[in-house]
Amino acid sequence: MTDNPDELERLRKIQGGDVRTASRLIRNLEDNLPEAKTAIRQIFPHTGRAHVVGFTGAPGAGKSTLVDAMISVFRKQSKTVGVLAVDPTSPFTGGAILGDRVRMQAHAEDPGVFVRSLATRGALGGLSRAVGDAVHVMDAMGKEIIMVETVGAGQQEVDIINHSHTVIVVLIPGMGDEIQAIKAGMMEIADIFVINKADRDGAGQLENELISMLNMVSEFPGGWRPPIMTIGNLFDAAAFREDVEKLADAVGDHYRCLVETGLLADRLRRKTVMEIHDALHDAILSPILTELTQSGEMDRITKRILQKESDPYTIADEIAGKYARDGKRNRMIN
Amino acid sequence: MRKLRILIAKVGLDGHDRGAKSVAVGLRDAGMEVIYTGIRQTAEAVVSIAVQEDVDAIGISSLAGAHMTMFPKVVRLLQEKGAKDIQVFGGGIIPKNDITELNKMGVGKIFLPGTKISDVVAYLKEAFPN
């Protein structure tokens, strides 16, 4: 624990739900400032209460609109809500348009709702590197439900499973046949399937394909067979609201299942292992890469490889050997 | 490195957002993260979003004549929320005399029709050097 008065004050403010402090911390995490990591160390013991719900699916599938509708349902249940909405960073300029909250306008003035947009900043798994820690920040603020929305994702962007307790895969009719449904990746990670825009042609066929796909699964962990929820046209307001309420019920059922079967512990373990991986990457690999780049060594080894004087594996072994040796020597000195 | 985060907002009963979107894309191409609110926001919502997103500045696009009400209101609400470090700038159909008044009230630069996106980028980069 810290006894630095500024750091204690920050922790107290975040636990009190102060949006300005929390949002600044999330920004510092995105910018990878060292002080932000110190803050995470301090808030870490105060996390672990929120139910984290992930939303993923193709661009335009309706994720943001669904999140918006789900906020309304959870607020009616008097639960506080945090939302982390991820949009893509340009690979050319590093810029981004963060537009998910255009669909969440109704909640902008509700102090019980904190929506934060994040850009991927080069991360490839459908999220941003800062998402894991941003979840911790919202959790420490006391948000009871945290919804994480991925970028418009395809088959492979499955990082969301490392950050959520309940994963909702949002599908729309007309995106492919039953072969798409049995492929690995996205279709395996759903705890709940949503067939969105189900008033469109092909919704019934999609539902049948999902059912046959699920029928091929021999055993569901914890006995949870992912339900298929259909959600109709947004402009058919009463029916839409009813559909979304059913989805919220399914989310609650899934959480109870996780707790009762002990699966929740598995998910927490999965997230922790991933966090250790990331932290080790930051602690070990990042400094090596920085040093190689800054010292000009990176240019030299690139040249050697291009001139076929060496190859990437030999170089990696050399570097690993050198740092392991240095590490050992440092330990001996200490 | 600090990445600039800018909120582009449409306030009040004003649905013309071609300009706001053009500016948003221009700032994106200059490497900034741009949060877009969508049209017909209240001043309260814009300030709340700015705080939630921890932006450096709010750019308000106004084409419907409500700038003398809306711009100062956003500035005042930012002060009330302890967020007066978030700067307000804007653009749209705004008479020259009003610009002087708005500047006095704490609003930053106002960009008029014909502005090049690069001028807006240069203004923001100068206001927030990394």
Side-chain angles (χ1 to χ4, degrees):
Chain A
M1 268 317 285
T2 177
D3 43 16
N4 176 324
D6 291 344
E7 291 177 0
L8 281 174
E9 172 69 3
R10 176 172 59 193
L11 178 61
R12 196 190 57 75
K13 277 186 168 169
I14 287 174
Q15 286 187 286
D18 184 72
V19 173
R20 188 138 171 82
T21 309
S23 184
R24 174 55 52 90
L25 174 55
I26 292 173
R27 183 166 180 191
N28 290 345
L29 288 163
E30 291 187 278
D31 288 341
N32 212 5
L33 303 190
E35 63 182 79
K37 279 194 186 136
T38 311
I40 290 299
R41 283 178 200 163
Q42 289 150 6
I43 67 169
F44 199 78
H46 307 282
T47 61
R49 285 169 300 173
H51 179 194
V52 186
V53 184
F55 287 75
T56 190
K63 297 181 292 299
S64 304
T65 304
L66 264 188
V67 168
D68 173 69
M70 294 284 278
I71 298 174
S72 302
V73 177
F74 290 128
R75 289 301 290 148
K76 224 189 268 171
Q77 299 168 357
S78 302
K79 289 180 174 147
T80 52
V81 177
V83 174
L84 293 163
V86 186
D87 264 330
T89 294
S90 162
F92 302 114
T93 65
I97 299 273
L98 307 172
D100 287 326
R101 65 180 312 144
V102 172
R103 320 286 166 209
M104 306 174 195
Q105 293 180 356
H107 309 285
E109 291 175 56
D110 178 351
V113 181
F114 176 18
V115 178
R116 182 62 157 70
S117 316
L118 300 125
T120 54
R121 301 204 183 176
L124 296 175
L127 294 172
S128 118
R129 277 293 307 277
V131 156
D133 285 336
V135 167
H136 288 318
V137 174
M138 287 189 165
D139 192 345
M141 289 172 83
K143 299 298 174 204
E144 292 164 280
I145 300 277
I146 300 171
M147 291 189 271
V148 180
E149 180 187 335
T150 70
V151 293
Q155 297 174 314
Q156 177 72 59
E157 294 87 346
V158 293
D159 274 3
I160 188 74
I161 57 168
N162 293 320
H163 295 284
S164 17
H165 307 125
T166 303
V167 175
I168 299 176
V169 171
V170 184
L171 302 167
I172 46 175
M175 298 284 279
D177 63 7
E178 75 275 17
I179 302 302
Q180 298 303 332
I182 60 172
K183 284 187 181 170
M186 180 76 77
M187 299 304 284
E188 294 175 291
I189 65 169
D191 298 307
I192 298 169
F193 283 105
V194 166
I195 299 178
N196 205 18
K197 312 188 188 186
D199 53 314
R200 292 190 180 176
D201 283 349
Q205 191 193 338
L206 175 56
E207 186 168 10
N208 286 336
E209 285 161 7
L210 287 177
I211 291 168
S212 359
M213 186 265 288
L214 291 170
N215 285 345
M216 284 186 243
V217 178
S218 48
E219 200 189 341
F220 294 101
W224 177 267
R225 180 184 163 113
I228 303 165
M229 319 295 295
T230 53
I231 295 190
N233 194 321
L234 170 68
F235 296 104
D236 188 356
F240 177 79
R241 200 162 47 236
E242 221 167 90
D243 291 345
V244 173
E245 276 165 9
K246 281 187 199 144
L247 176 59
D249 288 345
V251 168
D253 291 345
H254 181 250
Y255 193 68
R256 267 187 298 283
C257 171
L258 287 179
V259 173
E260 283 162 13
T261 59
L263 276 176
L264 186 62
D266 285 348
R267 303 237 160 160
L268 297 176
R269 215 169 291 125
R270 188 163 67 189
K271 170 158 182 162
T272 303
V273 169
M274 196 260 329
E275 285 180 321
I276 296 169
H277 274 257
D278 282 354
L280 276 174
H281 186 282
D282 286 353
I284 298 178
L285 190 57
S286 297
I288 294 178
L289 288 171
T290 309
E291 196 183 308
L292 287 175
T293 308
Q294 282 172 355
S295 66
E297 183 65 15
M298 187 65 92
D299 287 338
R300 280 192 289 279
I301 56 183
T302 308
K303 211 166 170 189
R304 277 175 61 203
I305 294 172
L306 284 172
Q307 290 172 348
K308 310 290 178 197
E309 287 167 19
S310 188
D311 62 88
Y313 296 104
T314 308
I315 294 282
D317 274 347
E318 277 174 29
I319 294 168
K322 176 175 175 291
Y323 278 92
R325 228 174 24 247
D326 288 356
K328 230 178 262 168
R329 195 160 56 225
N330 287 340
R331 271 201 300 282
M332 279 158 74
I333 293 165
N334 291 336
Chain B
M1 202 186 83
R2 209 90 177 116
K3 184 156 300 244
L4 274 184
R5 286 172 69 85
I6 308 293
L7 182 68
I8 295 295
K10 291 288 300 181
V11 194
L13 204 59
D14 179 1
H16 299 281
D17 64 350
R18 166 59 88 186
K21 284 176 183 158
S22 297
V23 171
V25 170
L27 300 183
R28 180 202 76 181
D29 290 344
M32 301 176 197
E33 289 184 354
V34 184
I35 297 99
Y36 179 53
T37 61
I39 56 174
R40 300 195 197 105
Q41 298 298 303
T42 61
E44 285 82 358
V46 168
V47 169
S48 169
I49 292 170
V51 170
Q52 289 181 31
E53 298 287 354
D54 194 30
V55 294
D56 296 294
I58 308 174
I60 305 174
S61 154
S62 174
L63 289 88
H67 50 273
M68 294 309 281
T69 318
M70 289 303 189
F71 281 74
K73 194 168 179 193
V74 169
V75 171
R76 180 170 55 76
L77 289 171
L78 282 171
Q79 271 165 355
E80 284 174 18
K81 282 225 183 184
K84 64 172 192 275
D85 54 304
I86 299 177
Q87 296 190 27
V88 178
F89 69 103
I93 309 295
I94 295 169
K96 291 232 161 69
N97 291 345
D98 289 353
I99 293 178
T100 323
E101 282 301 303
L102 288 171
N103 292 150
K104 275 188 214 153
M105 294 172 186
V107 178
K109 195 163 169 94
I110 301 288
F111 295 93
L112 295 177
T115 300
K116 288 201 277 294
I117 297 280
S118 54
D119 294 343
V120 185
V121 171
Y123 167 74
L124 289 171
K125 286 201 167 156
E126 199 190 317
F128 305 101
N130 249 307

